[in-house]
Amino acid sequence: MKPEQFPEDLRPHLTPRPEGEMVYDCLACGAKHPSDQLLYTCPGCGGLLLLRDLQFDRLRRRPGDFWRRLFDHRLMLNERATSGVFAFHEFLAPSIPVEDIVYLGEGRTPVVPAPPELAREVGAAFCFKLDGQNPSASFKDRGMAVALSFLKHLARVKSLGTVMAVCASTGDTSAAAALYAASLGGAVKSAVLLPKGRVTPQQLSQPLGAGATVFELPGVFDDCMKVVELLSEKYQVALLNSKNPWRVLGQESYAYEVAQQFDWELGDLALIVPVGNAGNVTAILSGLLKLVAAGAVDRLPKIVAVQSERANPVYRYYRQPLGARSYAPVIVRPSVAQAAMIGDPVSFPRLALLAAEYEKTAGGPSFFVVEASEQAIMDCMLLANRRGLTICTQGGECLAGLKAALAQDLITPSETAVLDSTAHALKFVDFQNAYFDGRLKDEYGVSTRPELANRPRELSLRGAPEPSGTMSKADRELFVKTAAAEIAAALDLTPKSA
Ligand code: F0G
């Protein structure tokens, strides 16, 4: 729709202008640092940072309905910069000018309801938000769009020259980082550190294809993260892990989109989120808190964070009684939810802080953590994929988490669960195939349920010639006839009446 066709009061706001006062806020010592620099930890005490808009209160001067209408109308505006996560510019990263926004088609991912028979089987109505439909096929693009927009902005105003961007990854951050860096055409080069043998071949192909420098390290993600942290401490590099607080801002867009896709009524929803490095769940909590603070929503949804039994430091923390909780990293064991296989989540201090603030704002228990077995994760992923939902193993973890939350009465069947399908099924298809072949037993302890397994069939084609380019007409006819007859018999097809 053309700008002049929008309601008059919204027209001046359709294209956002830079505004607000973003500062890095240290969660450990409370120091505030100007945001016109690359910072990943507090220069004073080394604490973890969040970005805050010191002028956030200006958003409160308008009624909540203004923001709902503005964001709803932006859906009809054909402006690329605000077609993705920056549709929520005022809440997200208001200091970044529109001209610096990097847009590769991220955000606005669909919410797809589970078919009724699957909902009945699970015991509650639920849907998946298919974040695997982002450009690099995972939710990481949301955060990367903002991190790279900021980098582009900073490079322009400070004439930085070529920037080297680095990240450690279980496979999806690296794919997104390499893609968004590549889109800037040489202004940003990227290097990614991956745990050897612990990312899927599809994930490995992504940064290679985008031209990143790829390092495979022995160990697990937590080891790669430590190396990248040291690199960012000692050298001039841009860190693209969610330790970078601009990434967290971008991932808040998931919460804004869910609110919009449910007509800004969140009270009867439960958002289910898989947790690895804890960047995503932190961002979702932060986004929801901003929506309430600005009056754009009245009630908060429940949040259910899910971890595998084999990588569960957050679950272990929250299962301790309130007031007597202590955090300890865990040594991870192989998990099919491999992208979330993290024993010492970098964002844990942010999560603990925001979850407490969230429950205070919601006025009661509303943040829960459950764990899922490897068997449940795999079975749930396959169950959903068999009903038209293209989810990955982390999506399967969400569905297993929903079942656990229902069994523990943390959520009731009258609430609608929104599950985060964080990546596309095809990135993790090797786990599916290994399950079908019965190869997951030893390392992951997962047995194949025969009713979920599926393999290609071969035909015997007894008496039929092998097809080749030089086949005679008669031979080809015989081959086609034999194959069709065998397939019809296998499928028990009914012949058409003459
Ligand atoms: N799901 C997928 C598909 C992921 O790639 C990740 C994290 C998570 C869930 C967990 O999200 O870390 O924000 O709690 N992947 C990171 C990576 C660590 O390097 O790609 P989180």
Side-chain angles (χ1 to χ4, degrees), residues 138-140 168-174 221 241 251 274-281 339-340 342 392 394 422-423 428:
S138 91
F139 73 99
K140 303 284 180 184
S169 184
T170 55
D172 290 327
T173 297
S174 42
F221 168 86
N241 282 99
Q251 285 168 207
V275 173
N277 221 12
N280 200 29
V281 68
I342 295 172
C392 65
Q394 290 67 224
T422 46
F428 296 88

Side-chain angles (χ1 to χ4, degrees), residues 194-199 216-219 224:
L194 306 174
K196 192 170 171 58
R198 292 279 169 214
V199 304
E216 291 188 301
L217 273 69
C224 295

Side-chain angles (χ1 to χ4, degrees), residues 95-117:
S95 59
I96 298 181
V98 166
E99 62 180 299
D100 292 322
I101 289 176
V102 180
Y103 171 67
L104 296 184
E106 64 287 335
R108 291 200 187 169
T109 54
V111 169
V112 179
E117 72 278 8

Side-chain angles (χ1 to χ4, degrees), residues 350-369:
R350 288 173 178 153
L351 173 60
L353 187 95
L354 285 168
E357 197 180 325
Y358 192 85
E359 293 213 309
K360 210 165 123 204
T361 308
S366 45
F367 176 78
F368 309 102
V369 189

